[in-house]
Amino acid sequence: AALQTTAGSRFFAERVPTEDAEVARRLREAGAVLLGKTALHEFALGATTQNPHYGACRNPWNSSRIPGGSSGGSGAALAADFCAAALGTDLRPTLGRVSNRGVFPVSWSLDAVGPMARSVVDVAQLLAVVAGFDPDDPGSVDRPVDDYLGELELGMDGLRVGVPRSFYFAELDDEVERAVHAAAEVMAAVGADVDEIGLPGAAEACEATSQIIRAEALAVHRERLEGNPELFGEDLRRRLPLGYDVSGADYAAHRQTGRAWTRTVEQAFERTDILLTPVAGTVAPRADESETIETTRRLTRLTYGWSLAGLPVLALPCGFSADGLPIGVQLTAPKWDEALLLRAGAAYQRKTDWHLREPEITSATAARG
């Protein structure tokens, strides 16, 4: 049955869609049981998932912390074992691999839908269902869908793993740095060749991505912002107008930065197969210390560059802080090589149990969350 679908916004408080998004349609036709809708940051425009209209979503590992975002409800539901899988993105596929049709946009040129699950095997199964060309989505690319499940047992023997240190390992919490280094050591132990690699331009790529999102988000919402600003939450009333400061010339320059950065990463893949970096420089921040613009900047700093280049990325749990909060490592591969990421991630999970650990959920935790 159709369910109220608000995009986390008062603008669509009463909206009930008449058809599924393409990814939901494919999952339903493959036999998936769709349990319901999860929380998200308003219009998915932030990383705190503290929604002023429908309530805050909290982290199952510690209900005083945010779950991240923008689709923090998907991550929280998955961590709390409320579902076997979700759409978020734990695996961000290559731009154009999965249809965005029916998904409310954040940024037309950067959005990508992908599967989230505890195990890489489950992520691969979901990707096999939702991937594929959609002629009715102008951003969809007609590429063959790989045998994601068939390569999961190949392991990491001989794979070259590059670790770009200068930007991606600056401003890290000590616990995060130790956990990510330990993940690299596990991959080396199962046969990967792990080496440091240079990757100039990452900081500029992050900034360009931020500015592109500001401009495109304003384009998506300008009519609503100028006509009914009071319907937005306070944080979006501050964030969306930042797009007015991005001129057409600025936008063109940021796009050129993106092209140069994409070529730099493509050249890096001539001497390495996979890039290994932290997901974020810190564990989940406290909810009472989170502010949409600054917290989003902190939590997306190490992911934006891969989005700008349109590359596939797989995030994996790789440890916990002293406070019991999960830490993530991300693997990035060349365009269209999700199978390589899944192969490497499966090999890592065969040697670790981070993905099997679950938070203790109590009724009090659930109520606060």
Side-chain angles (χ1 to χ4, degrees):
L3 296 176
Q4 181 182 357
T5 303
T6 68
S9 166
R10 287 175 63 195
F11 284 93
F12 302 131
E14 305 300 326
R15 186 180 67 173
V16 177
T18 58
E19 60 181 331
D20 284 336
E22 177 64 8
V23 287
R25 185 193 67 78
R26 293 187 186 203
L27 286 170
R28 197 187 299 277
E29 288 191 354
V33 178
L34 304 185
L35 299 176
K37 305 296 175 75
T38 55
L40 75 162
H41 203 103
E42 183 179 3
F43 281 123
L45 274 167
T48 72
T49 316
Q50 300 200 83
N51 191 297
H53 313 302
Y54 303 102
C57 179
R58 296 294 176 86
N59 194 316
W61 289 97
N62 185 324
S63 61
S64 71
R65 307 285 180 138
I66 64 170
S70 52
S71 46
S74 293
L78 188 61
D81 204 24
F82 292 168
C83 57
L87 295 178
T89 42
D90 259 2
L91 174 70
R92 179 189 169 91
T94 306
L95 200 62
R97 171 70 84 186
V98 175
S99 174
N100 285 335
R101 182 159 57 92
V103 178
F104 197 93
V106 172
S107 166
W108 291 303
S109 66
L110 299 173
D111 288 351
V113 177
M116 302 173 69
R118 285 186 173 274
S119 78
V120 170
V121 174
D122 288 345
V123 168
Q125 290 177 322
L126 261 72
L127 183 63
V129 171
V130 300
F133 180 57
D134 176 7
D136 294 320
D137 173 10
S140 181
V141 178
D142 191 1
R143 294 273 307 197
V145 175
D146 295 329
D147 180 10
Y148 302 121
L149 295 169
E151 297 188 18
L152 293 182
E153 300 297 324
L154 295 180
M156 295 190 72
D157 192 40
L159 286 183
R160 301 167 298 169
V161 176
V163 182
R165 290 198 54 83
S166 57
F167 174 79
Y168 287 96
F169 285 79
E171 302 180 26
L172 299 187
D173 290 353
D174 290 343
E175 292 175 310
V176 172
E177 186 164 9
R178 285 194 295 269
V180 173
H181 279 303
E185 290 173 357
V186 170
M187 294 179 191
V190 298
D193 296 324
V194 181
D195 289 301
E196 292 187 16
I197 187 171
L199 201 61
E204 293 80 4
C206 177
E207 177 61 18
T209 309
S210 178
Q211 298 300 316
I212 289 168
I213 291 173
R214 288 180 178 182
E216 294 193 3
L218 176 62
V220 170
H221 293 285
R222 181 161 52 183
E223 183 175 340
R224 280 179 285 272
L225 181 64
E226 295 177 352
N228 299 99
E230 73 283 356
L231 295 183
F232 286 102
E234 181 274 337
D235 60 334
L236 260 62
R237 287 199 302 271
R238 287 186 292 109
R239 189 179 184 195
L240 284 170
L242 297 176
Y244 287 115
D245 295 331
V246 184
S247 70
D250 293 336
Y251 185 86
H254 295 315
R255 277 291 167 202
Q256 182 61 15
T257 296
R259 284 187 283 271
W261 163 248
T262 300
R263 181 56 52 86
T264 295
V265 179
E266 288 172 347
Q267 290 170 344
F269 283 127
E270 294 174 2
R271 53 190 189 277
T272 195
D273 299 308
I274 292 175
L275 296 170
L276 181 150
T277 56
V279 172
T282 184
V283 295
R286 290 182 57 88
D288 59 6
E289 296 175 353
S290 296
E291 185 281 321
T292 292
I293 295 174
E294 175 56 24
T295 301
T296 298
R297 185 200 67 79
R298 288 174 58 203
L299 294 181
T300 59
R301 177 175 175 271
L302 304 182
T303 64
Y304 269 4
W306 313 132
S307 301
L308 184 61
L311 298 171
V313 185
L314 176 66
L316 300 162
C318 67
F320 287 84
S321 70
D323 292 335
L325 293 164
I327 297 170
V329 63
Q330 58 184 343
L331 304 178
T332 304
K335 288 182 180 180
W336 314 113
D337 213 346
E338 290 86 358
L340 180 62
L341 290 180
L342 295 166
R343 166 188 166 187
Y348 177 74
Q349 288 193 334
R350 285 194 292 269
K351 291 295 182 179
T352 60
D353 68 352
W354 306 116
H355 62 293
L356 301 176
R357 303 190 187 190
E358 297 182 0
E360 293 184 8
I361 305 295
T362 65
S363 57
T365 300
R368 287 194 304 271

